[in-house]
Amino acid sequence: TMGGDGDGEREDDERKVELDEETKKILEDFIGAPIDDPTHPFWNPPPLTEEEEAIFEDVKRRAKECVGLDGFAEDLLLKDMHVQYVKRSSEDKDAIEYVLTDHLRLSGMYWGLTSLDLLGRLDVVDADEIVDFVQRCWVPDVGGYAPCVYHDAHVLYTLSAVQILALFDRMELIDRDAIASFLTSLQRESDGAIMGDEWGEVDTRFAYCALSISTLIDRPHCIDRGKVVEWIDKCKNFDGGYGSDPGGESHAGQVFTCVGGLALCDAVDRIDHTFLGWWLAERQVKAGGLNGRPEKLPDVCYSWWVLSSLCIMGKMHWIDQKALARFILGCQDEKKGGIADRPDDEPDVYHTFFGLAALSLMGFPGIKPIDPVFALPTHVCERIGVMRTAADGTVVGRRENSATKGESVEP
């Protein structure tokens, strides 16, 4: 039975995961206990002895010592080198990396620009030139943005475009109604899933993008959010995680899109907080970094996908933050700047952003705070009228402003 709100004892509810006989046998062999026998000792462990209680309390005490980054000096982060690295990445248009990333140009720009904003150096780029390029990626016949000029519109890059315009406080350039119509056209009537574009692929990433866009542009009801929540529910697995679609393998990146999407729908109660929190905490390896799936190597990008999900659920203290910070700092390139996926690998803008974003969530000195749901600096969210997330991870609404005529709009 899946359920519980993560506080105190778990309470059963009516949501159940039906397993076929083969999957059931594999699971029973793995845990060494029959699933259908609630009297088995596996499901009813004996109470802890005094010695075990003392060990448990010591573990909790040491876990608390892992929370927060007290003692981490700001100069451990190579801020100036990272700024120059991002700036060079946007200027060197002859580099092979630039040429091969044409198909995700707007997302690459969002990663780099948000990195600069978090470091307080968005001023090193030409805002007008960037905004002009973003607008040239607009596809008016569709109502969305393409990743680059002459490409097709897609919900992924429409979110990147909106995020970039939000960074530069140019939201007035957005055709909100056209984008809202585009998002409406992407929702399947049959099950509420969100397609990425007109060709029909569905993915929990696309659901998150549509929910985030519709909230940022103040058109929350252009999609049926209730149906999206129901579809995300179908993507939940027996291990508490979420996949890209119903039946898909649990993956930390997909977990963020589902947890963030449910937060945007004020539906975090659909998450099994304890079970999913455990699965996410298990992503931390001995090196301190986080992986995306069991038995995989750690990767800096999962520092964000895992940590933001834990942050939304109020469980960041479930991992060793100091060890994670050391891992991220160890992935910095001390010669040319930037952050790589793992120590001694080549840096890139993608991992640079997600490394900085994770450090921001942990309160690393010298980095602006970032919102765990919108993946934008919190000052940007506040400026455009989106309230910061509440303590339990839900989005509590939009700030009163002239755009809403003094009325709060629920996302």
Side-chain angles (χ1 to χ4, degrees), residues 23-178:
T23 304
K24 181 179 175 182
K25 185 178 185 306
I26 292 173
L27 185 58
E28 288 182 335
D29 289 342
F30 177 73
I31 64 177
I35 292 177
D36 298 329
D37 181 8
T39 64
H40 192 279
F42 180 87
W43 306 110
N44 295 278
L48 298 178
T49 64
E50 290 186 8
E51 182 180 359
E52 290 171 334
E53 283 281 5
I55 294 174
F56 182 57
E57 290 301 320
D58 183 60
V59 169
K60 289 198 296 183
R61 177 187 60 77
R62 286 187 285 114
K64 288 181 179 179
E65 295 174 355
C66 297
V67 177
L69 300 183
D70 295 338
F72 278 75
E74 184 175 343
D75 60 6
L76 291 174
L77 182 67
L78 309 176
K79 293 176 61 175
D80 291 338
M81 293 186 68
H82 297 329
V83 170
Q84 293 306 313
Y85 173 78
V86 172
K87 190 170 184 291
R88 286 196 309 273
S89 298
S90 65
E91 294 173 342
D92 189 2
K93 295 179 172 55
D94 292 327
I96 186 65
E97 294 86 357
Y98 187 91
V99 175
L100 294 179
T101 54
D102 200 57
H103 64 288
L104 48 76
R105 179 74 63 236
L106 281 188
S107 289
M109 292 170 64
Y110 154 71
W111 299 326
L113 293 168
T114 309
S115 297
L116 294 175
D117 198 335
L118 290 174
L119 296 174
R121 294 303 308 278
L122 194 57
D123 60 306
V124 301
V125 296
D126 187 328
D128 291 335
E129 180 182 354
I130 292 171
V131 170
D132 177 69
F133 178 81
V134 171
Q135 291 305 96
R136 286 193 288 121
C137 295
W138 172 250
V139 184
D141 294 342
V142 177
Y145 286 88
C148 195
V149 182
Y150 305 124
H151 285 247
D152 294 333
H154 195 285
V155 71
L156 286 174
Y157 309 107
T158 299
L159 175 58
S160 295
V162 171
Q163 290 169 320
I164 293 170
L165 294 174
L167 288 171
F168 289 110
D169 198 16
R170 299 300 302 275
M171 297 288 282
E172 78 279 0
L173 297 176
I174 296 174
D175 189 335
R176 299 172 187 243
D177 291 333

Side-chain angles (χ1 to χ4, degrees), residues 10 61 68 85 105 166 176 183 187 217-218 235 304 320 411:
R10 291 181 56 188
R61 177 187 60 77
Y85 173 78
R105 179 74 63 236
R176 299 172 187 243
L183 296 180
Q187 186 166 32
I217 67 173
D218 200 12
C235 299
W304 167 262
D320 186 337

Side-chain angles (χ1 to χ4, degrees), residues 110 163 208 212 215-216 264 371-376 381 386-387 395:
Y110 154 71
Q163 290 169 320
Y208 165 79
S212 184
T215 304
L216 290 170
L264 287 163
D371 188 279
V373 173
F374 293 104
L376 284 169
C381 295
V386 178
M387 295 290 288
V395 177

